[in-house]
Amino acid sequence: MRLLTPQDFAPWLGQKVRVATLPEPVEITLERIERRSPMRGFDMREPFSLFFESPLHVFLIDGTYDLDCGKGGPHFILLTQLQPADRRFYEAVFA
């Protein structure tokens, strides 16, 4: 199995991403990719995070979802909700 990299998600930037939820899918937007410094000798790949946002009415509990924007994927990704403000924010960490 190939490990995903930040480059795999570059075509998703600024795009609406379909999240396979029930009873129907919802959309969130990939707002940024944040690269992290590798821990020398320990990381299998460059660590990074994906940051998504959505309107307040789109509520996802922390969990693994099938995400697809039509440009690569679909990928099963663990999303964690961050502190909402005027929108909801989600992060996916790839260590």
Side-chain angles (χ1 to χ4, degrees), residues 11-85:
W12 293 29
L13 273 172
Q15 301 294 315
K16 294 207 179 286
V17 177
R18 194 189 94 245
V19 183
T21 57
L22 294 174
E24 53 191 48
V26 296
E27 290 184 335
I28 59 177
T29 303
L30 178 59
E31 290 299 319
R32 79 178 191 275
I33 300 170
E34 186 175 291
R35 297 168 184 260
R36 302 196 193 296
S37 298
M39 293 176 55
R40 198 155 95 203
F42 294 105
D43 287 328
M44 302 281 293
R45 66 169 162 213
E46 174 188 11
F48 65 100
S49 289
L50 304 176
F51 291 91
F52 298 90
E53 71 174 47
S54 71
L56 282 174
H57 73 272
V58 175
F59 176 75
L60 299 171
I61 61 171
D62 294 0
T64 302
Y65 295 91
D66 185 2
L67 275 68
D68 186 9
C69 82
K71 297 180 179 181
H75 299 296
F76 287 100
I77 298 175
L78 175 64
L79 294 178
T80 302
Q81 186 176 174
L82 303 174
Q83 183 68 39

